[in-house]
């Protein structure tokens, strides 16, 4: 039986948040309605993987035993999410941010929204489905070395795994707190290290999800066969990975060359008013593209990425604007072509294979 992974990106350079991937999933459901397989799109998922805005989607779906039925309220959820960001903006804070003394947004509104929506005491181990959520820990313990490190929160391990007791609201805020935009986030219990957005290293979390599935399978095999982890070659033949982006905007650089080189310094890379922080943007896009390449080379036809092109930066601050962005995006022929290609992949890959039998993957904890 295939092991299905749904990976959901964070916010890209194009500015499209998780409502874009949610809208793409909704459009796919409509296409699959023709064959009666629409419920299998989400209910067949074994693991939801999400970074930052993608982690919000992952938690939203994973909190439901029947993710497909929850889909009708998904865009309403995103309307509230983007509204919280709007509340976090103030003139005084913006002035301080421009002077370098504050983050641009107040994240307390988003934290309180997640506490209200999911409940302040909901833990990762309480979720109905498996989730994997990257974040970046600013003060981690690497044995004898004290250093920052990548942190991947998940509920795929045993009931004794410390991650199972992490609060969902804390994990979402830790994964979705981009430096400079949001304050560094610690947690409701005000203990431990601070965290920033998982997008600093895994805005496209597809490879994180693949690695987690391989690790879980190897750990299970090791327990069953009493063999060492090193002696086991991972079996990738039953893994299907659907990777969802939030829109890609055409980006390029056209420096002026002399004698075959362009002598750029930090002012061009970071302080150009026409394209500020272009180096950071390039690194984020490059990291996402690298993950796409790696997953494609590893899984071949068992992997597909859906990331629609956009002509300009996407933004929304309420549900009405979310709807407008999605209507415009879905009306593009390039988006329709990608959706049709994804529908064909879902049908041919085996993702929908057990829909007729009504089978569902096991919940996160038994």
């Amino acid at each position: 039986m295939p092991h299905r992974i749904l990976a959901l990106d964070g916010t890209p350079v194009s500015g499209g948040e998780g409502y874009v991937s949610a809208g793409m999933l909704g459009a796919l459901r409509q296409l699959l309605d023709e064959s009666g397989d629409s419920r299998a799109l989400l209910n067949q998922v074994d693991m939801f993987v999400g970074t930052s805005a993608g982690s919000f989607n992952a938690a939203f779906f994973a909190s439901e035993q029947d993710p497909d039925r929850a889909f009708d309220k998904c865009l309403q959820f995103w309307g509230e999410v983007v509204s919280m960001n709007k509340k976090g903006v103030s003139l005084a804070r913006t002035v301080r941010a421009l002077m370098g003394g504050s983050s641009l947004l107040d994240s307390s509104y988003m934290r309180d929204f997640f506490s209200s929506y999911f409940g302040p005491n909901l833990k990762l181990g309480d979720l109905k489905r498996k989730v994997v959520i990257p974040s970046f820990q600013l003060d981690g313990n690497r044995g004898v070395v004290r250093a920052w490190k990548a942190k991947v929160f998940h509920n795929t391990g045993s009931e004794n795994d410390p991650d199972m007791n992490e609060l969902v609201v804390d994990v979402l805020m830790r994964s979705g707190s981009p430096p400079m935009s949001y304050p560094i986030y610690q947690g409701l219990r005000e203990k431990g290290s601070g965290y920033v957005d998982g997008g600093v290293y895994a805005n496209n979390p597809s490879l994180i999800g693949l690695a987690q599935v391989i690790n879980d399978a190897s750990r299970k095999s090791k327990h069953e066969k009493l063999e060492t982890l090193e002696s086991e070659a991972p079996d990738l033949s039953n893994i299907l990975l659907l990777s969802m982006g939030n829109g890609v905007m055409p980006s390029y650089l056209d420096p002026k060359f002399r004698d075959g080189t362009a002598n750029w310094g930090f002012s061009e890379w970071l302080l150009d008013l026409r394209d500020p922080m272009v180096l950071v943007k390039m690194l984020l896009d490059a990291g996402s593209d690298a993950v796409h390449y790696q997953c494609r080379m590893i899984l071949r036809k068992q992997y597909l990425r859906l990331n629609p092109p956009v002509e300009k930066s996407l933004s929304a601050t309420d549900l009405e604007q979310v709807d407008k962005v999605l209507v415009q995006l879905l009306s593009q022929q390039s988006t329709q072509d990608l959706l049709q290609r994804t529908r064909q992949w879902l049908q041919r890959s085996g993702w929908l294979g057990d829909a007729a039998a009504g089978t569902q993957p096991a919940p996160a904890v038994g």
Side-chain angles (χ1 to χ4, degrees):
M1 180 181 296
H3 194 104
R4 303 165 181 86
I5 308 168
L6 179 60
L8 302 155
D9 278 18
T11 302
V13 174
S14 66
E17 294 189 49
Y19 54 80
V20 174
S21 51
M24 295 298 102
L25 288 170
L28 280 173
R29 287 174 76 246
Q30 291 181 353
L31 289 176
L32 293 170
D33 273 340
E34 302 171 5
S35 56
D37 291 334
S38 60
R39 283 177 54 78
L41 174 62
L42 293 178
N43 287 352
Q44 295 284 86
V45 173
D46 295 278
M47 178 184 290
F48 292 94
V49 188
T51 299
S52 193
S55 74
F56 307 165
N57 276 329
F60 174 84
F61 291 122
S63 64
E64 304 285 344
Q65 186 64 52
D66 187 346
D68 182 79
R69 291 197 176 188
F71 198 91
D72 289 342
K73 60 182 180 181
C74 186
L75 292 187
Q76 180 65 44
F77 167 79
W78 269 103
E80 296 183 56
V81 169
V82 296
S83 294
M84 291 305 108
N85 265 338
K86 183 179 179 180
K87 289 183 178 180
V89 180
S90 69
L91 178 59
R93 192 178 191 95
T94 300
V95 171
R96 291 199 303 272
L98 292 174
M99 296 176 63
S102 170
S103 62
L104 185 61
L105 301 173
D106 180 355
S107 64
S108 64
Y109 296 96
M110 189 72 77
R111 177 202 61 203
D112 294 344
F113 167 71
F114 287 138
S115 293
S116 174
Y117 190 93
F118 293 104
N121 299 314
L122 184 71
K123 301 175 182 178
L124 279 190
D126 298 328
L127 293 175
K128 304 296 193 301
R129 299 296 183 105
K130 295 179 181 179
V131 296
V132 176
I133 298 176
S135 179
F136 194 78
Q137 189 174 9
L138 299 183
D139 187 359
N141 184 1
R142 292 178 177 268
V144 297
V145 179
R146 184 178 179 181
W148 55 34
K149 66 176 183 179
K151 168 60 182 174
V152 178
F153 293 98
H154 64 89
N155 61 358
T156 70
S158 69
E159 294 183 2
N160 297 323
D161 193 309
D163 280 4
M164 301 292 270
N165 291 317
E166 291 285 356
L167 298 176
V168 169
V169 58
D170 283 345
V171 172
L172 296 184
M173 291 302 298
R174 289 168 181 170
S175 182
S177 292
M180 295 187 287
S181 293
Y182 270 13
I184 296 168
Y185 188 83
Q186 184 184 38
L188 293 178
R189 296 164 180 164
E190 300 184 13
K191 295 181 180 179
S193 171
Y195 296 81
V196 294
D197 201 289
V200 300
Y201 73 97
N203 208 46
N204 175 354
S206 301
L207 196 59
I208 295 288
L210 177 58
Q212 189 68 49
V213 167
I214 292 173
N215 178 69
D216 292 346
S218 299
R219 184 172 55 199
K220 180 179 179 181
S221 177
K222 177 182 177 182
H223 175 74
E224 292 176 348
K225 299 179 181 179
L226 299 179
E227 297 176 351
T228 63
L229 186 62
E230 290 76 11
S231 67
E232 299 163 358
D235 180 11
L236 306 180
S237 61
N238 66 338
I239 296 176
L240 296 175
L241 174 53
L242 176 59
S243 175
M244 304 287 297
N246 289 311
V248 57
M249 191 166 56
S251 300
Y252 64 93
L253 293 174
D254 187 22
K256 303 302 180 183
F257 291 100
R258 178 176 295 179
D259 297 328
T261 64
N263 188 25
W264 277 21
F266 70 86
S267 62
E268 289 90 351
W269 283 112
L270 299 174
L271 303 179
D272 188 339
L273 295 179
R274 295 167 298 178
D275 198 355
M277 306 294 288
V278 65
L279 177 60
V280 175
K281 297 176 184 178
M282 185 178 70
L283 292 174
L284 288 174
D285 274 353
S288 180
D289 285 348
V291 168
H292 170 54
Y293 172 82
Q294 291 159 346
C295 289
R296 185 162 54 90
M297 291 298 101
I298 294 170
L299 292 177
R300 304 289 176 167
K301 293 183 179 180
Q302 297 158 234
Y303 165 81
L304 186 73
R305 179 158 172 81
L306 173 56
N307 192 23
V310 297
E311 296 178 357
K312 59 182 180 179
S313 182
L314 305 176
S315 64
T317 57
D318 56 36
L319 180 58
E320 182 178 353
Q321 292 183 18
V322 166
D323 289 338
K324 287 181 178 179
V325 168
L326 292 177
V327 167
Q328 180 180 3
L329 190 58
L330 290 172
S331 67
Q332 296 178 175
Q333 186 60 49
S334 58
T335 303
Q336 289 298 316
D337 292 343
L338 286 173
L339 288 170
Q340 289 291 347
R341 179 186 172 209
T342 306
R343 177 185 62 82
Q344 294 170 3
W345 179 84
L346 289 167
Q347 293 172 330
R348 295 172 181 173
S349 66
W351 186 286
L352 309 174
D354 296 319
T359 57
Q360 293 187 7
V365 289

